[in-house]
Amino acid sequence: MRVLKFGGSSLASVARFSEVAQIVLQQATTEQVCLVLSAPQGVTNMLVELTDLAYLGADFQSPLSQLEQRYQQLLAAIPGVSEARRQQVQALINSQIQQLGWQLQGMSLLKFCPDHIKAQILGLGEQFSVALMTALLEGQGADVQALDSVKLVKSQGDFLNATADVAATATVIDAAMAATPASIYVMAGFVSSNAQGETALLGRNGSDYSAAVIAAAIKASACEIWTDVDGVYSADPRQVKQTRLIDRLSYDEAMELSYFGAKVLHPKTIGPLARVQIPCYIKNTLNPSAPGTCIDVEGDGEALVKGISSLEHLALITVSGPGLKGVVGMASRVFAAMARAQISVSLITQSSSEFSISFCVPQLHLVAAKKALEAEFELELQNKLLRPLAIQSDMAIVSLVGDGMRQHRGVAAKFFASLAQARVNVVAIAQDSSERSISAVVEQRSCQNAVKVCHENFFSHIPSIDVFLVGCGVVGSELLAQIERQQAFLQQRQVKLTVYGIANSKQLLLAKDGVDLKNWQPALAEANAQFSLAELNRFVQEQHLTNPVLVDCTSAQAVADQYADFLAAGFHVVTPNKKANTSSLEYYHRLRAVAQQQRRRFLYETTVGAGLPVIDTLQGLLNAGDQLLAFEGILSGSLSYIFGELEAGVPLSVVTAKARAMGFTEPDPRDDLSGMDVARKLLIMAREAGLMLDLNEVEVDSVLPAGFAAGANVEDFMVQLPQLDQAFAERLAAAKAEGKVLRYIGEIRDGKCKVAIKALAADHPLAKVKDGENALSILSRYYQPIPFVLRGYGAGAAVTSAGVFSDILRTLSWQQQV
């Protein structure tokens, strides 16, 4: 015989009842079936609401009428039921509603509800399901017999959370089936009776447990738990995307997962099946052809980790003090106090010094647990042998489960590295001696992030990058286009890069599923939020993003001034904006300190040389023990282009206008011609080399004479610029007469920084650099007397965006360490 259990979601409507009937009829063609049913979806909640209303003395008549209507609607729509059977079900409905009304009225008058009465009420829905399903199967010609679970399933203990007695159940159920042979038996889940014959419930959502108890009692060939998902997943699909269906679990793995929060299985389900080694299958009523998950004695030992589960809404209690150390029986007193208060303990950890014992209890039971412990240890607390109880509320347990963990080293290290990557503080840890599971107590608010990152590292192996772009001008727009074009490549590289937010100076667009990069402009135009750390941080918390990256493609000082705050809030920062690295030395050091403390990346390769690996190269040399002796560089792509054209005889005013039209310069060319852009880049290089200078210590020789076109707007400046053409032509001619060329150079020498126009000999490494190229000449302890030269295009949206894109991908370095 095979036991099939269907939960409330499988019995939500007449259509669902009919689907269940077809599954049962098909299985009954090859094997006897014992069908175990929950209440129709929502009915048990309605019964709970009715008891609560009556207990409080509130009006319960309207909800009672709604329950009756729900019953009547289901009965009226059931097809193929004989009139005689329909009348029997109707009589059951009438009897239930009448009896329930009397009981509720009594509760309302007495303001009291005994547990044995509450058990009777809450088990009514399952009995209705049995009557309705029996009628449906009978109407389709099945050989079906309903059995009374209250009489046949025996239990002991609490009326509302009883423990089944499998041996006693086997005796009576075998006799009942022998007396009434049938191809299909239908029984109610959740309900049982104690030794006195009183109704007792097997715990809320205990129909799975009922099915397991019945399967063990009748020595079934298998027990199938039918629900609304395809089986057990590697994590809760509601919390984690890209979860994996687990094909096979061992009994021990299934018990660990269900105990630590996996919702598909009731925690007590596996025990009865494991004792008699009956395989259990988790299957989907909506997809009956799917193989589901098989739970048996062997499982699949090949997989390292089977699943990640979480148990939420807990409190961590710590009992500590000198009175614990070396005193026999203290631990037993702690947990005896919990047992007397009927409080379940989820996790236990003890310090090796025996100075403290910590354990988790449900948050709802915290007050009762505290009261029980303070009563048990009243004398020890008064005499200061124990410290006052330490309580941490709103906690959760994240657990890694898998039989394969026993044969592999480094699992715990990877688990805790993953928690660190998710920026989760671990409050307590526990690992069982079988090495089948390892658990960490974390703050409730961090639980989903912890599960998400652990799943990413142990299962999907697809790290995520969550981008928020501020500044969508020329470079920002090009960056978005590159990200959109590269999605297929990123998928091949097993990287998930999603742009969740785009901001300009007026608006902020946020999208929980990621911004549509083909149509972001109109969406941004309609957005009504504004860019701020608070707004982005709120979004990150709500969406449980674990690797947020702020990408600043503005040149705004106001945005740069917020980098430290973003880093402190858990964002990586990637930028071509030079303002932060050329601000005060105090802010310069603060940025790096916060990034290190928070394990976040501050990446700014494109602040010097656009797409060229300038800073990375210098850092690499210094990290290898090299020492910078001198540096020369053409650090402005716009000035590289302008001076190359000047060499070809093009007047300064003409080439400046041309460079402006091509987008090589800033909107106001004076920002380039003043030399301050080069000065900032040179200061960044100097600080990277260890020279702690400020911007005012960089000597700047501007391309423009002091005070030229002062106060003029951009257009007036461009009109006046030809006044300088003759002077520049003469300066160029003088250099050419000496066999030299003019270039705008940034130089670091003898601890000082200078940017100026220099006449370079033809054989100088920078003499041939023009057309928008950047070039750097590094003279170091390793690279001398011939310097290390790095050369390539250093201007333009494409190369700058590519450099920013590369920095964004480098934020994965923290994740790749786990």
Side-chain angles (χ1 to χ4, degrees), residues 148-154 172 192-193:
D148 188 350
S149 294
V150 174
K151 294 180 180 179
L152 299 181
V153 179
K154 297 300 178 181
V172 292
S192 66
S193 60

Side-chain angles (χ1 to χ4, degrees), residues 211-213 215-216 222-223 225 251 269-280:
V213 169
C223 178
I225 307 294
Y251 293 126
T269 301
I270 300 301
L273 300 175
R275 282 193 287 273
V276 288
Q277 297 190 5
I278 296 173
C280 179

Side-chain angles (χ1 to χ4, degrees), residues 123-181:
L124 292 175
E126 281 73 13
Q127 296 173 38
F128 171 74
S129 291
V130 168
L132 199 62
M133 182 60 74
T134 302
L136 176 59
L137 291 170
E138 188 180 76
Q140 298 189 34
D143 177 20
V144 59
Q145 180 68 47
L147 298 177
D148 188 350
S149 294
V150 174
K151 294 180 180 179
L152 299 181
V153 179
K154 297 300 178 181
S155 63
Q156 53 193 1
D158 195 318
F159 282 110
L160 301 179
N161 193 21
T163 300
D165 185 334
V166 176
T169 300
T171 301
V172 292
I173 202 171
D174 284 345
M177 288 182 173
T180 54

Side-chain angles (χ1 to χ4, degrees), residues 541-595:
Q541 296 300 320
E542 288 179 354
Q543 302 305 318
H544 297 281
L545 305 181
T546 57
N547 195 37
V549 182
L550 175 73
V551 181
D552 174 21
C553 287
T554 74
S555 59
Q557 184 72 53
V559 179
D561 288 344
Q562 298 181 66
Y563 289 173
D565 295 330
F566 272 95
L567 290 166
F571 287 77
H572 301 287
V573 174
V574 172
T575 185
N577 185 342
K578 294 174 279 293
K579 299 294 174 62
N581 274 334
T582 56
S583 291
S584 68
L585 280 171
E586 185 276 330
Y587 189 57
Y588 180 86
H589 292 304
R590 182 183 167 206
L591 285 173
R592 282 144 185 83
V594 174

Side-chain angles (χ1 to χ4, degrees), residues 508-733:
L508 168 65
L509 170 65
L510 295 171
K512 66 179 183 179
D513 295 320
V515 176
D516 179 1
L517 296 183
K518 294 182 183 296
N519 300 289
W520 63 267
Q521 292 97 332
L524 177 61
E526 295 177 2
N528 51 25
Q530 290 188 327
F531 171 78
S532 70
L533 170 58
E535 189 68 18
L536 263 60
N537 202 34
R538 177 194 60 78
F539 181 87
V540 166
Q541 296 300 320
E542 288 179 354
Q543 302 305 318
H544 297 281
L545 305 181
T546 57
N547 195 37
V549 182
L550 175 73
V551 181
D552 174 21
C553 287
T554 74
S555 59
Q557 184 72 53
V559 179
D561 288 344
Q562 298 181 66
Y563 289 173
D565 295 330
F566 272 95
L567 290 166
F571 287 77
H572 301 287
V573 174
V574 172
T575 185
N577 185 342
K578 294 174 279 293
K579 299 294 174 62
N581 274 334
T582 56
S583 291
S584 68
L585 280 171
E586 185 276 330
Y587 189 57
Y588 180 86
H589 292 304
R590 182 183 167 206
L591 285 173
R592 282 144 185 83
V594 174
Q596 184 66 31
Q597 291 166 3
Q598 300 298 323
R599 292 180 59 81
R600 300 288 92 178
R601 301 299 305 274
F602 174 41
L603 299 168
Y604 44 87
E605 182 64 69
T606 50
T607 57
V608 180
L612 293 177
V614 176
I615 293 173
D616 189 57
T617 299
L618 180 59
Q619 289 176 341
L621 291 175
L622 298 176
N623 290 339
D626 203 352
Q627 181 180 357
L628 182 68
L629 302 178
F631 170 85
E632 284 184 312
I634 294 176
L635 302 176
S636 168
S638 56
L639 292 180
S640 167
Y641 174 78
I642 288 171
F643 275 80
E645 292 293 290
L646 288 172
E647 182 186 348
V650 182
L652 175 65
S653 60
V654 174
V655 68
T656 301
K658 185 177 178 182
R660 183 187 178 209
M662 294 171 65
F664 275 12
T665 70
E666 296 295 327
D668 186 343
R670 283 172 292 189
D671 292 341
D672 299 277
L673 297 174
S674 69
M676 287 308 299
D677 179 66
V678 177
R680 288 184 181 276
K681 293 176 181 179
L682 189 66
L683 179 61
I684 292 170
M685 292 293 288
R687 286 179 170 181
E688 291 295 319
L691 298 177
M692 293 298 102
L693 304 175
D694 279 316
L695 188 59
N696 59 11
E697 296 179 83
V698 179
E699 184 180 345
V700 181
D701 180 8
S702 173
V703 175
L704 303 173
F708 180 77
N713 60 31
V714 176
E715 299 309 322
D716 288 343
F717 163 74
M718 294 300 296
V719 170
Q720 297 179 45
L721 191 57
Q723 299 173 20
L724 304 180
D725 288 348
Q726 182 60 36
F728 261 91
E730 293 173 358
R731 191 170 180 179
L732 285 162

